[in-house]
Amino acid sequence: MREDVPGRANVADTPELAAYYDALAAREMGALWTVANEIEPWFPKPKSVPMIWRWADVRPFVDRAPSLVRPEDAGRRVVMLVNPGRRDISAAVGLLYTGVQVMDAGECASAHRHMASALRFIMEGTGAYTIVEGERMTLGARDFVLTPNGTWHEHGVAEDGSRSIWQDGLDIPMINALDANFYAVHPDLQQVETRPVDSSAALWSGGIIQPTELRRNWHKPWSPVLKYAFEPAYDALVKASKIHEGSPYDGVIMEYVNPLTGGPVMPTIGASLQMLRPGQHTRAHRHTGSIVYQATKGRGFSVIDGHRYDWSEKDIFVVPSWSVHEHANLSETEDACLFSFNDLPVMRALGIYHEEAFTGTPDGRQPLITA
C-alpha cells in the first residue's frame, strides 16, 4: 500500500525485494514499509459499519427462542446483534457486544462471573431480577443494572412475573482482544442472597448526600450503585430541559455516573440517557469511541455518515468510531429519548479520545446520501 506523500511509505516492488519479503516471511518477520500506511491510517478506519436492528425484525426471533432452548442449556438465551464488519469477534460495533435476552416467568440462569464488564437494559416484562454478589435487584422496563467484571451474578424472572426481555451490553470483544478473559460458573449454580433487596440503590442514590462510612471503605473500580432506575433519570432530563440548552450534538444528555467519582459506571463501559425535544434536529459531530443506542421513547432518525436511519421504541442502532452522526425527533409535540452505552471511558483513560464538529454545511448537518 503505497502513498506518494512525503513521510509515507512509497517503495516500488522489485524482484529482489519480493525475494527479500519471502525470506522475511519464512522467518515470521516482515518489512514495516509494506504495511505502514495500512496500520497507521491518517484517521480512524473502523471495520464496523453503521447498523440498525429494528424491533419489528428482532422480536419474532427473540419470542421463538424459549421454545427452542432452555436457559440452563444455553447458559444465556440471547439473540446476538452482530455487525457485518465484526462477525469475526461477534461485536455489534467496535469492541462492544450486544444482544437481546429473553426469560419466562419462573426461569433463572445459573450464577457465573467473567472478566468482561456487563450491563442489562430492561425492554419489557414484569418480575425480572438480577442478583449481583448476593444483592437482588428488582427490575422494571427501562431500568438498567450493572454486573461488573469479576462479580458473581445471575438473572431470572419471578414465578408471578411475565416474559421479560432485556438488552445485554458487554465489552467481551475488548477483553478478548487483550487476551484477558476468564469465565466461571458458581459452584452451587445459584448464589445465597446476603444483602437486602435493592440495597445499593437505596444507600447510594441520595445524590448530594452519601453514606460516610461506605464512602471510606469502597475501593472497587466500578460504581457502588448497581441498579439505575429509569424514572428518576428521565425526571432529571425533563427538569434539565427546562433550564438548560443541552448539547448541540446530543440534545439534553446525561451520563449515568459512579456517585463516588463522578466518572463512568464501570472502567470500560459508560452509559447515557438523552432527550431530544419536540422537533429537535441536532448538529453533526464525530469522535473516537463506539456507541450502541436503544430508542427508549418516541420516534426519530439519526444520520450516520450521510445515511438516514429511522428509529422508534426498542430499535437498536450503532455508531462506529469516527462516524459523523446527528439525531432528530420526528414528533413536534413529544420528546424522544435514547439510552446508550459506549467505550468512551477507555478512550479517555488512554488519552485517545478526540472529537470534532461537522463543518461541511452552514447548518452543521450532513447532506443525505440515502435513507
Side-chain angles (χ1 to χ4, degrees), residues 261-299:
T261 65
V265 291
M266 293 183 286
T268 55
I269 299 179
S272 296
L273 187 67
Q274 67 194 89
M275 173 195 289
L276 301 172
R277 294 179 175 90
Q280 183 174 12
H281 186 165
T282 72
R283 298 171 69 89
H285 71 149
R286 62 182 176 182
H287 50 70
T288 50
S290 304
I291 302 184
V292 180
Y293 289 92
Q294 185 187 139
T296 61
K297 185 176 185 289
R299 61 187 185 91

Side-chain angles (χ1 to χ4, degrees), residues 56-97:
D57 298 325
V58 176
R59 178 66 186 264
F61 291 97
V62 173
D63 279 338
R64 189 181 175 197
S67 66
L68 299 174
V69 62
R70 302 185 307 165
E72 54 266 41
D73 295 330
R76 287 161 293 180
R77 189 167 54 204
V78 182
V79 174
M80 298 190 303
L81 306 183
V82 183
N83 196 290
R86 299 266 60 182
R87 290 192 182 100
D88 56 327
I89 57 172
S90 300
V93 64
L95 296 177
L96 295 173
Y97 160 97

Side-chain angles (χ1 to χ4, degrees), residues 158-175:
E159 292 281 356
D160 59 352
S162 61
R163 173 169 289 184
S164 295
I165 299 172
W166 57 84
Q167 181 185 4
D168 294 331
L170 296 94
D171 58 6
I172 292 173
M174 183 188 305
I175 303 305

Side-chain angles (χ1 to χ4, degrees), residues 305-326:
D305 289 336
H307 299 271
R308 173 172 160 165
Y309 300 86
D310 284 60
W311 43 258
S312 57
E313 289 185 25
K314 299 177 185 171
D315 291 348
I316 295 170
F317 63 98
V318 297
V319 174
S321 181
W322 210 237
S323 287
V324 181
H325 57 284
E326 64 201 72

